Amino acid sequence: MISPFYLFTFLLFTACGNSDTRFRINGKFNNMNQAEFYLINLQEGSKDTLGVLDGRFTYETTLTDTATLLLIFPNYSELPIIAEPGHDIDIKGDASHLKETTVEGSKSNELLTAFRLKTNDMMPPDVISEAEAYIRAHAASPMATYLLRRYFVIAAEPDYPKAYELCSLIREAQPTSIAVAQLHNQLEALREMRPEGTLPDFSATDTEGHEVSNSTLKAEVNVVCLWSSWNYDSQSMLRQLNQLQKDHPGKLSIISISIDATPDEGRQMMKRDSLKIPNVCDGQQWESPVIGQLGLGYVPDNIVTDSTGTILARSLNSAKLKEKIEQLLN
């Protein structure tokens, strides 16, 4: 029989250990009865579904390193959250004013809330300037990593050399952060990428068991598109590409690559929307070899080539991607 003293000691140390790695969210939204939110881990590319009942929800997980999360509302607007081991945070908002939602309980999230509220009505160039100024002044803050991703990496026109420069400052200030080290390695490769050049050799198996590679992309115009089932913009881009392929039969070839944690998530969405596009999803998310080979850096991302594999454009937003394809085909 286990001594009560030893049992108490074991439970005490177990509880203390959990408190060091546990991260918890308590959410409360006025004027919201029942809903579903998605919670995305940007480092892992993983997705959790949160049920909201009577305007409230909770979420708890264990973390070994600081992570950036995105809470996706039903209208597809996003709320960034800095998840730090050992912290409990409170999210408070109103369904009719989601942009004014606050996140409290940690200094990082309170600073991020203040930044969001301050820049809500600013023009994009002013927001980018504010973000760069904050990163340079507070490189040791977890918020710096979020601002770097949001305004310099996943921007409509990403500035990879600038992002690499700022990430180097963050890495120097946060030498033990695994997420920062991974981002730094990605940006080191991406900063050398140019719109011109030749598509790197790659080979992968799609979710239907068919091999896809450079030889798959021999149409007049070809597109490789990086997407995920939790990112609305990337889904919209994929639907647009599917329609363009229908409008120009035989002239446009597409390969999609999903960073979802499982092939089923993307397969369900593609089946629902009748998308006839080969999709690669190996479950390795950002660690997928094919993503590294092609230098795809954020969601959504894309590469446009001609029939010889010459890169004609890359990292275009949806409007510019459609314009480029139609220009090339017409």
Side-chain angles (χ1 to χ4, degrees):
M1 182 175 179
I2 299 175
S3 162
F5 171 77
Y6 286 116
L7 179 60
F8 172 77
T9 304
F10 171 77
L11 293 174
L12 177 64
F13 277 94
T14 301
C16 291
N18 285 344
S19 66
D20 290 338
T21 59
R22 183 180 64 87
F23 172 72
R24 181 181 175 87
I25 300 174
N26 300 299
K28 183 179 185 301
F29 284 83
N30 296 326
N31 300 310
M32 181 182 292
N33 183 22
Q34 192 169 347
E36 279 192 349
F37 297 162
Y38 289 144
L39 189 67
I40 312 301
N41 186 315
L42 290 182
Q43 279 73 42
E44 298 178 356
S46 58
K47 176 180 71 175
D48 287 307
T49 302
L50 308 181
V52 180
L53 186 61
D54 294 329
R56 297 178 182 272
F57 73 92
T58 60
Y59 173 80
E60 187 171 310
T61 189
T62 55
L63 299 170
T64 57
D65 192 20
T66 298
T68 303
L69 310 181
L70 282 183
L71 190 65
I72 311 295
F73 297 121
N75 66 353
Y76 290 100
S77 59
E78 302 174 351
L79 178 72
I81 300 166
I82 297 172
E84 299 170 273
H87 283 75
D88 287 21
I89 64 168
D90 296 307
I91 299 178
K92 300 176 183 178
D94 189 292
S96 58
H97 300 91
L98 290 175
K99 289 177 65 176
E100 298 173 11
T101 300
T102 61
V103 184
E104 302 173 345
S106 73
K107 183 178 180 181
S108 298
N109 282 293
E110 288 163 7
L111 287 171
L112 184 52
T113 296
F115 182 91
R116 283 193 299 103
L117 297 179
K118 178 182 179 181
T119 58
N120 267 344
D121 298 320
M122 284 186 178
M123 297 298 289
D126 296 327
V127 179
I128 293 171
S129 295
E130 287 278 342
E132 181 175 354
Y134 185 93
I135 292 170
R136 292 189 182 279
H138 306 283
S141 167
M143 178 177 159
T145 309
Y146 165 73
L147 294 177
L148 176 68
R149 284 183 178 276
R150 173 63 180 83
Y151 296 105
F152 297 93
V153 179
I154 63 171
E157 296 182 1
D159 186 343
Y160 292 134
K162 172 72 75 175
Y164 179 76
E165 175 193 345
L166 295 174
C167 192
S168 297
L169 295 177
I170 297 173
R171 190 181 188 189
E172 185 176 345
Q174 303 181 41
T176 62
S177 172
I178 298 172
V180 172
Q182 290 174 338
L183 181 58
H184 190 267
N185 290 338
Q186 288 177 348
L187 290 171
E188 189 170 20
L190 287 169
R191 67 174 176 157
E192 302 300 332
M193 293 292 177
R194 298 290 183 268
E196 68 277 359
T198 304
L199 190 70
D201 290 336
F202 75 96
S203 178
T205 303
D206 71 13
T207 55
E208 302 302 319
H210 304 129
E211 184 176 338
V212 295
S213 64
N214 301 67
S215 61
T216 310
L217 303 172
K218 294 299 182 184
E220 191 173 329
V221 178
N222 308 274
V223 180
V224 179
C225 179
L226 184 65
W227 74 290
S228 78
S229 65
W230 48 260
N231 183 276
Y232 179 77
D233 289 340
S234 70
Q235 293 179 38
S236 179
M237 182 176 288
L238 209 57
R239 294 187 192 99
Q240 176 179 270
L241 287 170
N242 189 67
Q243 185 59 50
L244 285 167
Q245 192 173 53
K246 289 181 179 178
D247 294 342
H248 302 277
K251 294 185 176 182
L252 176 62
S253 183
I254 305 162
I255 293 176
S256 65
I257 302 173
S258 165
I259 64 162
D260 286 322
T262 66
D264 283 341
E265 294 181 70
R267 185 184 290 118
Q268 291 171 7
M269 177 266 176
M270 296 186 82
K271 182 178 180 180
R272 183 190 70 224
D273 291 352
S274 301
L275 303 184
K276 306 298 183 181
I277 298 173
N279 185 47
V280 175
C281 181
D282 59 14
Q284 297 185 58
Q285 300 163 325
W286 288 112
E287 300 302 317
S288 174
V290 70
I291 293 176
Q293 288 172 321
L294 296 175
L296 297 166
Y298 63 99
V299 178
D301 201 359
N302 51 72
I303 304 172
V304 182
T305 75
D306 65 10
S307 60
T308 67
T310 300
I311 297 175
L312 306 175
R314 65 183 305 140
S315 301
L316 302 177
N317 61 35
S318 289
K320 290 186 177 180
L321 179 61
K322 181 180 180 181
E323 180 183 341
K324 184 67 175 180
I325 292 172
E326 290 180 337
Q327 174 192 1
L328 292 168
L329 291 176
N330 294 329

